[in-house]
Amino acid sequence: MSFFGLDCFLKTEGAELERKLRANDREYNRSFKYATNAIKTSKYNFFTFLPLNLFEQFQRIANAYFLVLLVLQLIPEISSLSWFTTVVPLALVLTVTAAKDATDDINRHRSDNQVNNRKVEVLIDRKLRSEKWMDVQVGDIIKLENNQFVTADLLLLSSSEPLNLVYIETAELDGETNLKVKQALPVTGDLGDDIEKLADFNGKNQRWCIYSITSTLELFALILQIFGSLVFMCTILAIGNYIWEVKNGSNFTVFLQREDSAGFSAFLTFWSYIIILNTVVPISLYVSVEIIRLGNSFYIDWDRKMYYSRSDTPAEARTTTLNEELGQIKYVFSDKTGTLTQNIMIFNKCSINGKSYGDVYDYTGQRLDISEHKDPVDFSFNALADPRFVFYDHTLVEAVKLENPEVHAFFRLLALCHTVMAEEKKEGELHYQAQSPDEGALVTAARNFGFVFRSRTPDSISIVEMGNQRSYELLAILDFNNVRKRMSVIVRSPEGKLSLYCKGADTIIYERLHQSCSKLMDVTTDHLNEFAGEGLRTLALAYKDLDEEYFSRWRERHHEASTSLEDKESKLDELYEEIEKDLLLLGATAIEDKLQDGVPQTIEQLAKADIKIWVLTGDKQETAENIGYSCNLLREEMKDVFVVLGHSPEDVRQELRNAQNAMKPDGAANSLLLTEEKSENLLKDEEANGEYGLVINGHSLAYALESSMELDFLRTACLCKAVICCRVTPLQKAQVVELVKKYKKAVTLAIGDGANDVSMIKAAHIGVGISGQEGMQAVLSSDYSFAQFRFLQRLLLVHGRWSYLRMCKFLRYFFYKNFTFTFVHFWFAFFCGFSAQTVYDEWFITLYNLMYTALPVLGMSLFDQDVNDVWSFQHPQLYIPGQLNLYFSKTAFFKCAVHSCYSSLVLFFIPYAALQDTVRGDGKDVADYQSFALLTQTCLLFAVSIQLGLEMSYWTAVNTFFVLGSLAMYFAVTFTMYSNGMFLIFPSAFPFIGSARNSLNQPNVWLTIILTSILCVLPVVTCRFLLIQLCPTINDKVMFKVRQAKATPPPPPRRSRIRRTSSRRSGYAFSHAQGYGDLVTSGRFLRRPAVPRASGFPQVGRAATGFSPMGRSAGYSPTGRPQNLKVPDVEVTSLQMYRTFSDGAP
């Protein structure tokens, strides 16, 4: 295929901007400085990384805040702490963040290079040369081979296919793997692949217009509140300093001479305490959060249970800032095609003349699960069979071999009534190019059962019927559209018989059947209900013989209507309705739109976790409903499934109100108050009187999303357990997500696989891309990616829940240990004259968050888990507390602050009282400031370490090492820093000489440490015991079960396949575009007529047909029943069958 890209004319207000270019003329096109075709998503290069990254980091308020603190510490009048207490943590923060940003940008560079360095053949200097896509320029002519990526917008010049058609897979745009048909312009179709003609082409005489080869807030709010508390505490202490200076300050001026007024002293004290108490919002918090998020992201990347071996695709966390939000998801918005389904259609079952085929039975007549049956049908008798096609019911191939006339007519219809194109590059190797995968599956099924579609021309279809080549004259295609929901072909057999073959939605076909088919229709309806109950996509098949004289008159009127300039469509519809009546029913097909593995189980698990799933798809209603039932999104057990199909705002509003009244009769009046609720920007959660589903079409959704009706729609949808939006545009997908975000206090997740899902993915709080065969556009815009939808349950119920739980425990504990640390300073201020003197040694202040308590809390935040993954799947209700944000709410934060206040009182006053008027065993005094500071900080470290142990649910060797190692590190560093040697080297930096060895060898000091530790944790232990006994949470109950089990529980029992019947079935299964039939029957650009080929079937067996049963399935009957057994009380229609003759037969 040859493609050519051009810019278009852009119209702006008041002027028209013309973009000029020439094909095969790079020099001319370069003069306009059009954009290159290279992709760039990276932010930095080697030279710009350091300045740009530092500039970005200091734009963050937290970093700027600590930079201001550093400046304040350099002012001697207000600083009682050394500069290194802030510089060291700040430098560590900047370094870690820069390393993370560098890693992310390197990955972006790699992704860009992968796309930019793909190769393509470009016509340069009258020769095809291999070039990188990034080097392709405006006006280049390129040649694409089959299955090549297209990474630019192109204009088709010519193709190797008949009619200059090309079949394009747009999976990267819309996630659909069915092929889209494009056709070259007539003026360029004759260029073919002639290099000389293409090299001479410049495109100046044409006017084409295409697009070119050319051209985390809650935590932050909490930090602000904490900062406000810091200012409040500092204000209190400044006022205390003022009062103290006024009352007692004059008593010290004899030896502390100064001229400062009390007011100025209070002003300086305020800033001094801003520096001292800044640990209430420590800078190490941000470093720790980044490390925890990064570590939990690595767990997702390393999870082998989320690795898809078929495509060698691991899960990938493309961001490190949203892991904990994965544990709070309330709404999941999902695409259908390529996300829930594989977009692979499989011919699964069929009903022919009242007999159902597709199920497999054992010798006792019991139906077997297909997965347990290891003996598929042997198609070796058919040399043209597709080896990939698998079917297990041997009775159907027996009926074909025994020349059952109804079965032959059934597959003959499938081989003739379609718009598939056949390609046969080698003898016997057929490749079908179908615009919809449904049609491809049906034609492939007919091919394997002996009715092989071989080739077509605008006026003929060649098929091989049971080894004999036959050519049917194609007289008309009555094309598909969304209103007709059917398609028909009119053909003339080699014997001269005229027939109309029709396939379509069963409800549509049934309306056009002859009355003699009533009993057969009843039996087929039962089969259709059974097929639909299994989530299969169904079609009904029918035919009629035509009278030659009548058809001649009809054909003339058809020609007149098709050439009419007025009401062409309506005239054609009338003619189609006229001829498509009194049809004779042949049977029905059942195609499986194969779901991805584990989709029903995943949706069921997410529903148990109270996660609401909305499917937003561009597919038609019947298809989406079918998938909804097959994947457990919609269930027969639901009280009702509301379908909103209104074509006016009034109709849509009424349908929504009716649904609300049915789900919550006592809440009808509330709908009148929706406008008042809207001002509050929040829609409260409501419970319906049962389980319901909602299906709404795209045109109805357009009205529902209007500002006057959006709350009605949202309230109705939120009352339902499942919502399916059909025929929606990418913009509507994003609008639905934004609507939920606007009026519901909930975290949303969107998952898709194509570029049409990008807007939805970006609109949601969290975006997930499905990677693999369907393309990479959604992945590039997502926060997380993996290859299969089923991995979503592990992402949310395991990684998301653990990440949320760990982050909440981290924040609660981190604030506890730092509030406790800081509040001790606050109490000490009342005993030091509000002089901004610190309780602890400066080195302890510096190392408290960086060394003594950093690793234990990181160990808990990286390794802790309340239950393992198996228990998480068995009890998905464990996920619900995260949706309600129970583990770190305002209430939880208030409890943490109260606990810290209590602990700080214990940690200050118990050591203070213990040392007051106390002497050593040898009679020496120990009641000095340094001994008090050492005792207080030691008590603090023991108390927070024990509290950490109470917080952890899952002890590992790493956690144990971190906790014990940090305590050991504290004593090692303390004895080193308080040694004589350090004092002699740096006397001003290490003034606590000998304090450790003089204090920590006293029994009363250790008794004080034990007492304070017990008093700090006693309220926690008591409250937890009472809460578990009186009102246990779901976590408490499950953890109790785990302790009872004392071992990992066995995996969940295997779910048996539940068969169900349904009165609801798919109305239409194939989905090609309207108007394609006219394209097939047109003779434009046809360059290669069909070439007669050998049939590919062995010519043995019956004298009349040259065919006899052979292979493993010949004569095989698993039930031992006659194969031509008719269904009782069913009238056999008088089918006009064609016997198969050789092409040369008269």
Side-chain angles (χ1 to χ4, degrees), residues 53 56-57 60-63 89-104 216-217 219 282-299 301 317-324 784 803 806-807 810-811 814 854 857-858 861-862:
N53 188 261
E56 290 178 354
Q57 290 202 58
R60 301 172 185 170
I61 294 180
N63 291 343
L90 181 60
L92 182 62
V93 168
L94 297 177
T95 302
V96 172
T97 305
K100 183 184 74 70
D101 292 342
T103 302
D104 291 343
T216 20
L217 296 177
L219 179 59
I283 192 171
S284 59
L285 170 68
Y286 297 93
V287 177
S288 301
V289 167
E290 292 291 342
I291 294 174
I292 294 168
R293 287 172 169 173
L294 184 63
N296 287 321
S297 297
F298 281 136
Y299 291 153
D301 295 340
R318 299 174 56 83
T319 182
T320 61
T321 60
L322 300 173
N323 297 330
E324 57 273 13
Y784 301 88
S803 295
R806 291 164 179 167
M807 185 59 72
F810 164 77
L811 291 175
F814 206 96
V857 70
L858 287 178
S861 305
L862 291 174

Side-chain angles (χ1 to χ4, degrees), residues 416-419 456-461 472-480 484 487-492 498-502 546 551 554-556 558-559 562 572 575-576 579-580 1076-1082:
L416 293 172
C417 186
H418 58 80
T419 56
R456 77 185 317 141
T457 68
D459 54 8
S460 69
I461 299 177
Y472 289 81
E473 183 182 356
L474 180 60
L475 301 174
I477 293 182
L478 283 58
D479 205 2
F480 156 85
R484 284 170 43 77
M487 74 163 291
S488 301
V489 296
I490 300 175
V491 297
R492 179 180 281 114
L498 276 176
S499 297
L500 179 145
Y501 291 108
C502 182
L546 299 176
F551 177 71
W554 182 89
R555 193 175 190 181
E556 291 178 0
H558 178 267
H559 177 72
S562 61
L572 287 175
L575 287 172
Y576 293 166
I579 201 170
E580 290 175 328
Y1076 190 54
D1078 294 336
L1079 185 62
V1080 170
T1081 55
S1082 69

Side-chain angles (χ1 to χ4, degrees), residues 926-941:
V926 293
D928 59 88
Y929 163 73
Q930 293 185 349
S931 298
F932 171 72
L934 176 64
L935 177 58
T936 304
Q937 64 195 35
T938 305
C939 292
L940 170 68
L941 201 58

Side-chain angles (χ1 to χ4, degrees), residues 69-197:
L69 284 181
L70 176 60
V71 173
L72 291 176
Q73 283 186 273
L74 298 178
I75 302 175
E77 288 78 5
I78 63 175
S79 178
S80 56
L81 290 174
S82 300
W83 57 270
F84 57 78
T85 58
T86 299
V87 168
V88 174
L90 181 60
L92 182 62
V93 168
L94 297 177
T95 302
V96 172
T97 305
K100 183 184 74 70
D101 292 342
T103 302
D104 291 343
D105 206 58
I106 289 173
N107 292 332
R108 285 191 287 265
H109 275 285
R110 290 173 179 171
S111 178
D112 293 345
N113 292 335
Q114 182 181 4
V115 176
N116 289 332
N117 290 323
R118 288 174 178 168
K119 294 298 184 69
V120 66
E121 287 188 308
V122 183
L123 184 60
I124 301 176
D125 297 333
R126 312 185 78 86
K127 294 181 181 179
L128 286 174
R129 298 181 180 177
S130 179
E131 293 281 338
K132 298 178 181 178
W133 270 108
M134 63 184 295
D135 297 327
V136 173
Q137 299 181 16
V138 177
D140 283 351
I141 292 179
I142 66 175
K143 182 178 181 181
L144 290 177
E145 299 292 343
N146 193 28
N147 295 325
Q148 270 193 287
F149 284 97
V150 181
T151 54
D153 291 320
L154 307 173
L155 177 66
L156 177 64
L157 294 182
S158 62
S159 169
S160 60
E161 295 300 305
L163 311 179
N164 277 298
L165 300 175
V166 293
Y167 299 85
I168 300 174
E169 181 182 287
T170 58
E172 291 201 4
L173 297 177
D174 54 21
E176 297 186 0
T177 55
N178 55 301
L179 302 177
K180 308 297 189 299
V181 180
K182 302 295 179 183
Q183 188 174 31
L185 295 172
V187 71
T188 62
D190 294 334
L191 295 175
D193 58 354
D194 190 319
I195 299 300
E196 294 300 322
K197 290 183 180 180

Side-chain angles (χ1 to χ4, degrees), residues 222-381:
L222 181 61
I223 297 299
L224 289 181
Q225 294 176 11
I226 295 173
F227 180 76
S229 301
L230 169 64
V231 173
F232 177 73
M233 287 191 298
C234 293
T235 302
I236 291 177
L237 297 180
I239 295 174
N241 176 266
Y242 176 82
I243 296 174
W244 189 90
E245 287 287 344
V246 171
K247 290 187 175 182
N248 303 313
S250 59
N251 298 332
F252 296 88
T253 56
V254 175
F255 57 90
L256 289 177
Q257 297 183 2
R258 64 177 186 273
E259 299 178 357
D260 298 340
S261 64
F264 186 71
S265 175
F267 173 77
L268 294 179
T269 300
F270 173 85
W271 292 107
S272 297
Y273 275 111
I274 285 287
I275 296 174
I276 292 175
L277 302 182
N278 78 82
T279 49
V280 76
V281 189
I283 192 171
S284 59
L285 170 68
Y286 297 93
V287 177
S288 301
V289 167
E290 292 291 342
I291 294 174
I292 294 168
R293 287 172 169 173
L294 184 63
N296 287 321
S297 297
F298 281 136
Y299 291 153
I300 296 174
D301 295 340
W302 296 338
D303 193 341
R304 293 186 178 182
K305 294 182 180 179
M306 296 175 68
Y307 170 74
Y308 191 57
S309 58
R310 292 184 185 178
S311 60
D312 189 26
T313 306
E316 181 183 4
R318 299 174 56 83
T319 182
T320 61
T321 60
L322 300 173
N323 297 330
E324 57 273 13
E325 291 191 19
L326 289 173
Q328 300 176 274
I329 302 298
K330 181 67 175 179
Y331 292 89
V332 170
F333 302 91
S334 174
D335 180 37
K336 182 191 75 68
T337 305
T339 303
L340 300 178
T341 68
Q342 300 181 31
N343 208 26
I344 298 175
M345 306 301 172
I346 298 176
F347 183 84
N348 193 293
K349 296 182 180 181
C350 63
S351 173
I352 305 176
N353 197 36
K355 179 175 175 60
S356 177
Y357 298 92
D359 288 321
V360 180
Y361 301 85
D362 62 13
Y363 65 93
T364 64
Q366 296 295 318
R367 183 167 51 203
L368 298 175
D369 192 336
I370 293 296
S371 62
E372 300 172 2
H373 193 73
K374 305 301 182 183
D375 188 17
V377 170
D378 183 4
F379 292 106
S380 61
F381 70 90

Side-chain angles (χ1 to χ4, degrees), residues 911-922:
Y912 183 86
L915 291 183
Q916 189 173 18
D917 299 329
T918 301
V919 295
R920 290 162 45 92
D922 55 6

